[in-house]
Amino acid sequence: MQPRAPGSSSLTNQASLRSAEPAAQCTGGTAQPCTASATVTTTAAEVPAGVNPSPSLQQWSVVLLTLLTAVIGAWRMRSRGQRIG
């Protein structure tokens, strides 16, 4: 089963502004408070076929920490004269 990206989504943002200057006018000559709104619609792209997940940095750090722990443990056992294996 091929993973699918989510459909489109939209975000509407509305803002209003009131100036401390009583004679100030909004763009277009309207009275205060000035209001504006914007709507943004996004559409996610399709996931290409044949995409394989790759290990994240967190997974690689766990692998490296495990190897480091094993190397330090072997080195300490060897310095104490204990047999490994």
Side-chain angles (χ1 to χ4, degrees):
M1 183 171 158
Q2 181 177 345
R4 297 192 53 89
S8 65
S9 61
S10 64
L11 168 73
T12 302
N13 185 14
Q14 184 166 2
S16 64
L17 172 71
R18 184 176 297 276
S19 174
E21 182 67 37
Q25 289 189 348
C26 302
T27 303
T30 60
Q32 291 193 39
C34 302
T35 60
S37 65
T39 302
V40 178
T41 303
T42 59
T43 304
E46 289 292 322
V47 177
V51 174
N52 294 325
S54 59
S56 67
L57 184 60
Q58 183 179 6
Q59 290 169 327
W60 283 112
S61 64
V62 170
V63 169
L64 291 175
L65 183 61
T66 303
L67 288 173
L68 179 66
T69 304
V71 167
I72 290 174
W75 176 69
R76 291 203 55 184
M77 287 178 70
R78 187 171 186 162
S79 67
R80 292 182 180 178
Q82 297 175 346
R83 280 192 77 198
I84 301 173

